[in-house]
Amino acid sequence: MTHFDQLLKVVADRRAEFEEKRHVPRDVIADFKRAGIYRAGVPKRFGGDALSPTEFLRLIERISVVDGSAGWVASFGSSAIYLAALPLETQAELYADGPDVAFAGGLFPVQPAERVEGGYHVSGRWKFASGCKGADLLGVGIRAGEDRAGRPRTAVLRPEQVEIVDNWDVVGMRGTGSHDLVIDGVDVPEEWTFVRGGEPTVDEPLYRYPTVPYAAQVLAVVGLGVARAALDHVIAQGGRSSFTGAPKPAERATYRIAVGQAEAQLRSARAFFYETTEDVWATVEAGDPATSEQASLLRLTSAHLAKTSFEVVRAAYQLGGIGAITDGSPLQRYLRDASVVPQHAFLQEGMYDGAGAVLMGVQPFPGYL
């Protein structure tokens, strides 16, 4: 059994614990590390794997089939691509003990930082720091006026410099531990900050791949995994007996049609998603920059996948009948988890507006590209 197969078994055995504790415990994060999740986005020059986006996304998809929260936390193994914008000397220090470094961040709302000699004086409170309780490094979004494009700078700190406010009380993705971060007056050296989506200091293909669209992709693929699990569940339940004595689900045309339609929807969105990923990867691997049109398509496929996945899970939930409403039904958890994905700012329906603008050659809304 590979380390990754062992990880899937651990996730299956402990997913109820993640939901109860509202985070993935640190010993499971160690299992993520053994499976290569946190070295996946680390440059090869520092001992990482620098996996292609498709390779990494497929790993997150498989974890998410087992548990959405675990997949969401694992998805931030891609965050090492942000750290590639740090000075090379800083990265060498960061990976001095090896490439298996878990990074989590609460970048918003961006907080003003005071410029001090050699760096920034950082204070404030940030939300949605998924996976923060198991992180080796934490990032927070600051603004000090340097970036002309208006992109936030990220300050990187050690966990002992940050207070985690345990306030992740939500309907879905309960196990992600996306708590608030609070910092009370810490000086962060300039060399431990970077602009999110800024120019990388590492020259490897992965770091030429569009950074912010990739951040949307790793979250959208979580919804895909959850939808796959939900659809597989109702397919397997086709032979169950009805409480009322009605024909079994698989004997009803309406059930079969709904399953067929959902399967086609999910596979179509998945194919679009991975096809676009491969196309953009081929461009950057050849040494060329991704075009604005390609970056926009990545954002479009991600938003569309998140939306389609939720629709498929809703269809599966309805097919589950009255049994789906019980606490013991996995369909209830699938529905709650899948509902969170398209709520993310990177994946909301406004992305269709941005993509439509690019397709028609007009200026998209600020921040889209």
Side-chain angles (χ1 to χ4, degrees):
M1 183 183 290
T2 67
H3 287 308
F4 189 76
D5 291 331
Q6 290 173 338
L7 172 62
L8 294 181
K9 184 178 186 307
V10 169
V11 170
D13 291 343
R14 298 181 63 179
R15 57 193 172 199
E17 178 189 346
F18 305 159
E19 182 141 333
E20 180 184 356
K21 290 182 175 178
R22 292 180 296 118
H23 71 273
V24 176
R26 191 170 284 274
D27 66 306
V28 180
I29 298 298
D31 290 322
F32 284 179
K33 290 180 179 179
R34 279 188 287 272
I37 297 300
Y38 289 107
R39 65 174 57 204
V42 174
K44 291 182 178 179
R45 68 179 293 162
F46 296 116
D49 294 337
L51 293 182
S52 73
T54 292
E55 290 176 291
F56 184 72
L57 291 165
R58 289 187 189 278
L59 293 178
I60 302 307
E61 180 185 355
R62 289 182 62 191
I63 296 171
S64 302
V65 170
V66 183
D67 180 62
S69 289
W72 191 273
V73 172
S75 78
F76 291 98
S78 67
S79 295
I81 63 171
Y82 301 142
L83 299 175
L86 288 167
L88 290 176
E89 296 77 11
T90 303
Q91 293 184 62
E93 182 180 345
L94 195 160
Y95 300 120
D97 295 327
D100 300 303
V101 176
F103 176 65
L107 302 187
F108 299 100
V110 176
Q111 302 288 351
E114 179 187 350
R115 198 73 163 91
V116 296
E117 184 176 355
Y120 303 89
H121 188 71
V122 178
S123 293
R125 182 166 179 152
W126 295 262
K127 302 192 71 63
F128 309 126
S130 300
C132 59
K133 287 197 169 183
D136 303 307
L137 293 170
L138 294 167
V140 295
I142 60 173
R143 180 164 286 122
E146 291 82 2
D147 185 50
R148 294 176 183 175
R151 296 173 298 187
R153 181 171 290 272
T154 299
V156 180
L157 301 97
R158 300 290 178 182
E160 58 269 21
Q161 298 174 296
V162 182
E163 177 192 355
I164 295 174
V165 181
D166 197 322
N167 65 343
W168 185 239
D169 297 310
V170 290
V171 66
M173 295 291 179
R174 289 175 176 169
T176 63
S178 304
H179 303 295
D180 285 8
L181 304 180
V182 172
I183 298 173
D184 185 15
V186 174
D187 289 342
V188 180
E190 173 86 31
E191 62 269 22
W192 282 90
T193 71
F194 62 90
V195 174
R196 188 183 191 190
E199 192 69 25
T201 56
V202 177
D203 185 20
E204 295 179 20
L206 180 59
Y207 312 102
R208 293 193 291 270
Y209 193 84
T211 306
V212 175
Y214 191 30
Q217 286 190 283
V218 300
L219 300 178
V221 82
V222 174
L224 171 60
V226 174
R228 182 70 266 166
L231 192 51
D232 286 347
H233 179 80
V234 295
I235 289 171
Q237 289 289 299
R240 65 175 166 81
S241 298
S242 167
F243 290 116
T244 63
K248 294 178 179 179
E251 296 170 356
R252 306 174 203 162
T254 52
Y255 195 95
R256 296 193 299 267
I257 290 170
V259 166
Q261 289 176 331
E263 188 73 33
Q265 283 180 301
L266 193 63
R267 285 180 181 263
S268 297
R270 184 180 188 272
F272 178 34
F273 180 79
Y274 281 117
E275 175 189 298
T276 305
T277 303
E278 291 285 2
D279 178 62
V280 179
W281 177 246
T283 297
V284 300
E285 196 174 30
D288 298 319
T291 65
S292 295
E293 290 75 15
Q294 286 179 315
S296 178
L297 278 177
L298 290 176
R299 302 210 71 170
L300 175 61
T301 62
S302 297
H304 186 63
L305 184 64
K307 179 176 184 288
T308 301
S309 297
F310 183 36
E311 290 172 351
V312 166
V313 175
R314 284 193 298 181
Y317 180 81
Q318 289 179 313
L319 289 173
I322 194 66
I325 72 170
T326 64
D327 284 340
S329 171
L331 287 171
Q332 186 190 102
R333 177 167 52 87
Y334 298 146
L335 183 67
R336 290 189 284 105
D337 286 350
S339 73
V340 173
V341 183
Q343 296 293 101
H344 193 280
F346 284 172
L347 300 169
Q348 292 178 3
E349 292 222 348
M351 297 304 114
Y352 287 99
D353 173 41
V358 173
L359 286 168
M360 291 182 285
V362 299
Q363 188 68 31
F365 60 83
Y368 177 72
L369 292 175

